[in-house]
Amino acid sequence: METTRRIALVTGGSRGIGKACAEALARDGFEIILTYVSKPEGAAEVVAGIEAAGGKARAVKLDVGDRPAVAEFFKTLKDEPLHVLVNNAGITKDGLLIRMKDEDFDHVLDVNLKGAFTCLREAAKIMAKRRGGRIINISSIVGQMGNPGQANYVAAKAGLIGMTKTAARELGSRAVTVNAVAPGFIETDMTRDLPADIKEAMAKSIPLGRFGSSVDVAAAVSFLASDAAAYVTGQVLAVNGGMYM
Ligand code: NAP
């Protein structure tokens, strides 16, 4: 358990991987701020669950693609003990690249990469001043290996890995670590609607023989956010069942 008051901010904490991260970090003793964009009821449920377990949490509506709103939000945190940022908010708008619309490419980049950049930059200012912090960017296995139909999403997730390595080099002198987690195929709303035959084929290609769970990803995030990971920075921690090494 952390002993002093420390805040962990999880973007897109209303469901899926972000929800599991918020819950795990609350168990680790962090005060949680989770953001959502379209599902206030999901966010409220996560907050209630954390509080029922004895933790502290609040939810904030914030579209990470809305730069002025993100800047305003971080102003409210400037004197707070922000210790962890989990850049988790993400969307998909899939399609083969020769048919991909400009707006679908831009929207995915706006949320998944530019949104993460804005949050990282604003959090880094606070953490650098406090001389410590943990930034964890949720990338993806497809950012490492590519994936047909996801040129926009893969570009964003690969971009996050490059941004992670650069930020780690820039912020190391302030004891701020920056790492990425690259989940494989995880059971969430994002993957729920994949056709059954595709899911079955995917599961067969995973050495551990199954999709991962949000809790599997949250365990990696919990480690990277902990004091035990103080000397780990600029890394990409794969949580993919052995699918891609
Ligand atoms: P999910 O179940 O679809 O949840 C997405 C979360 O992001 C929700 O909390 C959603 O909020 C939030 N969100 C969406 N657009 C947003 C925006 N513009 N601003 C702020 N928040 C926004 O997704 P997931 O599967 O848990 O994925 C979480 C992260 O892991 C994503 O970055 C995803 O790319 C990555 N990932 C997922 C998998 C997988 O297999 N599932 C694999 C690798 C990486 P609302 O609930 O309010 O809509």
Side-chain angles (χ1 to χ4, degrees):
M1 288 286 284
E2 306 287 338
T3 48
T4 49
R5 181 174 171 250
R6 284 172 162 185
I7 293 175
L9 169 63
V10 182
T11 67
S14 46
R15 53 197 163 103
I17 291 170
K19 170 180 189 270
C21 290
E23 291 169 346
L25 292 170
R27 280 193 297 275
D28 294 341
F30 291 101
E31 195 175 309
I32 304 298
I33 303 175
L34 58 94
T35 75
Y36 65 94
V37 70
S38 70
K39 297 215 165 21
E41 63 289 348
E45 233 174 76
V46 181
V47 168
I50 289 171
E51 288 180 342
K56 205 165 172 209
R58 67 186 167 97
V60 176
K61 182 171 182 181
L62 180 69
D63 177 350
V64 297
D66 180 345
R67 283 186 158 152
V70 172
E72 275 308 301
F73 167 67
F74 273 93
K75 274 189 200 159
T76 68
L77 295 180
K78 79 176 176 27
D79 298 319
E80 294 286 336
L82 179 67
H83 189 67
V84 178
L85 165 68
V86 184
N87 259 324
N88 166 78
I91 56 166
T92 53
K93 290 221 178 248
D94 297 350
L96 291 176
L97 68 87
I98 55 169
R99 284 193 221 115
M100 188 172 281
K101 295 194 185 90
D102 287 347
E103 54 267 34
D104 288 346
F105 189 87
D106 291 347
H107 189 194
V108 169
L109 270 285
D110 283 347
V111 174
N112 296 12
L113 184 59
K114 295 186 197 174
F117 165 70
T118 319
C119 292
L120 189 159
R121 180 183 61 196
E122 299 308 313
K125 290 178 193 167
I126 298 170
M127 292 175 185
K129 208 164 149 205
R130 295 177 51 79
R131 295 286 193 274
R134 302 273 185 273
I135 295 171
I136 300 150
N137 296 318
I138 307 297
S139 178
S140 169
I141 188 171
V142 302
Q144 298 171 301
M145 60 184 271
N147 202 26
Q150 291 197 306
N152 49 1
Y153 183 81
V154 170
K157 294 300 182 182
L160 267 183
I161 291 175
M163 193 164 75
T164 297
K165 290 172 189 267
T166 296
R169 288 179 183 272
E170 289 191 16
L171 298 171
S173 64
R174 296 290 184 273
V176 177
T177 67
V178 189
N179 292 286
V181 171
F185 293 109
I186 309 297
E187 289 277 10
T188 68
D189 290 351
M190 197 175 264
T191 49
R192 179 177 302 146
D193 294 336
L194 289 171
D197 54 330
I198 293 190
K199 274 191 174 177
E200 206 178 306
M202 278 175 167
K204 280 196 186 128
S205 71
I206 302 170
L208 288 178
R210 62 168 176 92
F211 273 41
S213 74
S214 295
V215 171
D216 292 322
V217 180
V221 169
S222 168
F223 165 66
L224 290 171
S226 73
D227 290 343
Y231 202 58
V232 180
T233 196
Q235 301 304 304
V236 182
L237 180 46
V239 183
N240 62 25
M243 195 180 170
Y244 181 81
M245 298 170 211

